[in-house]
Amino acid sequence: MSIKEQVIVIIAEQAVLEPEDVTMDSTLEELGIDSLGLVESIFAIEEAFDITVPFNANNPEDSDFDISTVASIVAGIERLKAGEE
Protein backbone atom coordinates (compact mmCIF):
# COMPACT_ATOMS: atom_id res chain seq x y z
CA MET A 1 0.00 0.00 0.00
CA SER A 2 1.36 3.42 -0.94
CA ILE A 3 1.79 6.32 1.51
CA LYS A 4 -1.17 8.04 -0.16
CA GLU A 5 -3.39 4.97 0.23
CA GLN A 6 -2.39 4.49 3.88
CA VAL A 7 -3.04 8.15 4.73
CA ILE A 8 -6.46 8.00 3.07
CA VAL A 9 -7.37 4.88 5.05
CA ILE A 10 -6.23 6.48 8.35
CA ILE A 11 -8.10 9.72 7.67
CA ALA A 12 -11.21 7.86 6.50
CA GLU A 13 -11.21 5.88 9.76
CA GLN A 14 -10.99 9.11 11.79
CA ALA A 15 -13.77 10.72 9.75
CA VAL A 16 -15.90 7.54 9.87
CA LEU A 17 -16.04 7.55 6.08
CA GLU A 18 -15.20 5.11 3.34
CA PRO A 19 -11.72 5.63 1.81
CA GLU A 20 -13.45 6.38 -1.54
CA ASP A 21 -15.03 9.45 0.10
CA VAL A 22 -11.62 10.97 0.89
CA THR A 23 -9.92 12.85 -1.96
CA MET A 24 -6.46 14.40 -2.12
CA ASP A 25 -8.13 17.84 -2.18
CA SER A 26 -10.24 17.15 0.92
CA THR A 27 -9.55 19.26 3.99
CA LEU A 28 -9.84 17.65 7.39
CA GLU A 29 -12.52 20.19 8.23
CA GLU A 30 -14.59 19.17 5.17
CA LEU A 31 -14.30 15.55 6.29
CA GLY A 32 -15.60 16.45 9.75
CA ILE A 33 -12.36 15.80 11.62
CA ASP A 34 -12.14 17.98 14.73
CA SER A 35 -9.03 18.85 16.75
CA LEU A 36 -9.18 15.60 18.72
CA GLY A 37 -9.60 13.62 15.51
CA LEU A 38 -6.63 15.49 14.08
CA VAL A 39 -4.43 14.53 17.03
CA GLU A 40 -5.58 10.91 16.73
CA SER A 41 -4.85 11.01 12.99
CA ILE A 42 -1.33 12.33 13.63
CA PHE A 43 -0.69 9.55 16.19
CA ALA A 44 -2.00 6.92 13.76
CA ILE A 45 0.21 8.32 10.98
CA GLU A 46 3.28 8.33 13.25
CA GLU A 47 2.62 4.73 14.22
CA ALA A 48 1.86 3.54 10.67
CA PHE A 49 4.97 5.12 9.14
CA ASP A 50 7.30 4.95 12.16
CA ILE A 51 7.98 8.68 12.00
CA THR A 52 7.65 11.68 14.28
CA VAL A 53 5.41 14.34 12.81
CA PRO A 54 6.57 17.87 13.71
CA PHE A 55 3.09 18.98 14.68
CA ASN A 56 2.10 20.94 17.76
CA ALA A 57 -1.60 20.45 18.45
CA ASN A 58 -1.60 23.47 20.77
CA ASN A 59 -0.20 25.74 18.04
CA PRO A 60 -0.97 24.12 14.67
CA GLU A 61 0.03 27.27 12.79
CA ASP A 62 3.53 27.03 14.30
CA SER A 63 4.07 23.51 13.03
CA ASP A 64 6.37 22.57 10.17
CA PHE A 65 3.75 20.13 8.96
CA ASP A 66 1.03 21.31 6.59
CA ILE A 67 -2.31 19.71 7.41
CA SER A 68 -4.45 21.87 5.11
CA THR A 69 -5.40 19.01 2.75
CA VAL A 70 -4.95 15.27 2.43
CA ALA A 71 -2.42 15.93 -0.35
CA SER A 72 -0.33 18.20 1.91
CA ILE A 73 -0.32 15.55 4.64
CA VAL A 74 0.85 12.90 2.14
CA ALA A 75 3.58 15.26 0.86
CA GLY A 76 4.71 15.98 4.43
CA ILE A 77 4.98 12.28 5.23
CA GLU A 78 6.92 11.66 2.00
CA ARG A 79 9.38 14.43 2.99
CA LEU A 80 9.80 12.97 6.47
CA LYS A 81 10.35 9.47 5.10
CA ALA A 82 12.87 10.78 2.54
CA GLY A 83 14.76 12.57 5.29
CA GLU A 84 15.24 9.31 7.19
CA GLU A 85 17.25 7.66 4.43
Side-chain angles (χ1 to χ4, degrees):
M1 192 182 305
S2 70
I3 289 176
K4 172 184 157 185
E5 291 166 333
Q6 281 183 277
V7 169
I8 287 174
V9 167
I10 290 167
I11 290 174
E13 283 175 8
Q14 289 301 323
V16 193
L17 296 169
E18 293 300 317
E20 305 84 63
D21 297 330
V22 178
T23 70
M24 292 299 280
D25 294 331
S26 298
T27 67
L28 300 185
E29 199 173 297
E30 288 170 351
L31 298 171
I33 295 178
D34 61 10
S35 55
L36 178 60
L38 169 61
V39 171
E40 291 175 353
S41 299
I42 297 288
F43 283 144
I45 287 167
E46 287 181 328
E47 195 172 295
F49 296 103
D50 193 28
I51 57 173
T52 300
V53 174
F55 180 79
N56 181 336
N58 296 324
N59 293 310
E61 59 282 348
D62 292 343
S63 300
D64 289 337
F65 196 79
D66 181 0
I67 54 156
S68 57
T69 64
V70 174
S72 64
I73 293 170
V74 170
I77 292 167
E78 288 171 344
R79 277 194 305 276
L80 289 170
K81 294 295 287 175
E84 285 182 353
E85 296 165 7

